[in-house]
């Protein structure tokens, strides 16, 4: 949780031009929080994940993760 708090600035901002790194950080953070049972914390990122899906992103191959559909 401390690592996420330190890296929160790297998570994408809705409606902004975001980097691939920030998008990967978002997906990794949500997955990690879910696996740790921190479902409420993961849910806080829902608007950002929804925004990511709107970009047409369906997977990020280098981390082998898929965005929720």
């Amino acid at each position: 949780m401390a690592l996420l708090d330190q890296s929160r600035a790297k998570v994408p901002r809705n409606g902004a031009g975001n980097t691939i790194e920030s998008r990967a950080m978002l997906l990794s953070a949500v997955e990690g929080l879910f696996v740790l049972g921190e479902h409420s914390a993961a849910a806080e990122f829902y608007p950002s994940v929804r925004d990511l899906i709107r970009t047409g992103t369906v997977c990020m191959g280098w981390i082998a993760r898929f965005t929720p559909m």
Side-chain angles (χ1 to χ4, degrees), residues 12-69:
R13 291 178 305 243
N14 294 347
N18 294 296
T19 65
I20 291 172
E21 177 189 42
S22 68
R23 292 173 180 174
M25 178 67 180
L26 171 65
L27 296 179
S28 296
V30 169
E31 178 184 26
L33 289 167
F34 186 83
V35 169
L36 291 172
E38 298 288 340
H39 301 158
S40 295
E44 291 176 21
F45 290 103
Y46 178 76
S48 296
V49 171
R50 189 180 57 222
D51 195 52
L52 178 61
I53 292 169
R54 282 190 207 132
T55 70
T57 302
V58 293
C59 75
M60 302 186 111
W62 58 90
I63 57 172
R65 305 296 189 262
F66 294 91
T67 56
M69 298 278 237

